[in-house]
Amino acid sequence: MTPVLESVLALLIVVTIVVLVVICVFLVKFLNEATLTMINLKDITDVTKKELEPALKSVNNILSTVNNVSKVTNNQLELVKKILTTLLGASCIAFGKVKGTGGFLSGLVSGFNLFKKKGDKKCQ
């Protein structure tokens, strides 16, 4: 080989080694910063978890209380519904026997017709 070719190859080897060393230094710095970032992120998530646990327990208790109130209200509404159904059924039977014909529904329709006729006369 010629001396010029040998010097160029030696220069190429030196430049390649320098570039590899620089890349390794930047890679080590990057890994170090990434490690510190992950440690900080873990600390933040730990603090957030510790702070949110009591709040989540409080929200859970509130939702449980609301659920219990809803169930009690639903049960009371069902009881009122049963009482009204029983009373309306008894009144339908009583009014049907007293009137003699038609029953409750025909009485309800005739009542609506009575109010409808009065309303039509007022509008004219």
Side-chain angles (χ1 to χ4, degrees):
M1 289 201 327
T2 63
V4 175
L5 185 62
E6 287 178 7
S7 63
V8 170
L9 284 176
L11 182 65
L12 179 65
I13 291 172
V14 169
V15 169
T16 304
I17 291 172
V18 169
V19 168
L20 288 176
V21 167
V22 169
I23 289 175
C24 287
V25 167
F26 281 118
L27 185 63
V28 167
K29 282 186 177 184
F30 172 75
L31 291 175
N32 188 20
E33 288 296 322
T35 303
L36 290 176
T37 303
M38 291 300 148
I39 290 171
N40 289 336
L41 188 61
K42 184 183 179 297
D43 291 341
I44 290 171
T45 54
D46 289 343
V47 168
T48 305
K49 181 181 176 185
K50 287 178 185 176
E51 293 295 324
L52 284 180
E53 280 180 355
L56 288 176
K57 286 180 182 178
S58 175
V59 168
N60 193 14
N61 289 337
I62 291 170
L63 289 176
S64 175
T65 304
V66 168
N67 190 18
N68 290 337
V69 169
S70 173
K71 285 180 182 179
V72 168
T73 304
N74 194 17
N75 290 339
Q76 290 177 352
L77 285 176
E78 288 294 323
L79 180 64
V80 169
K81 184 178 171 183
K82 286 178 183 177
I83 291 171
L84 287 176
T85 304
T86 305
L87 289 177
L88 286 176
S91 65
C92 288
I93 292 171
F95 287 131
K97 289 181 180 176
V98 170
K99 190 173 181 183
T101 58
F104 179 73
L105 290 177
S106 64
L108 191 61
V109 170
S110 66
F112 283 132
N113 288 334
L114 179 67
F115 286 118
K116 181 179 171 188
K117 288 179 185 176
K118 285 185 179 181
D120 290 341
K121 289 179 184 176
K122 288 181 182 177
C123 291
Q124 293 175 353

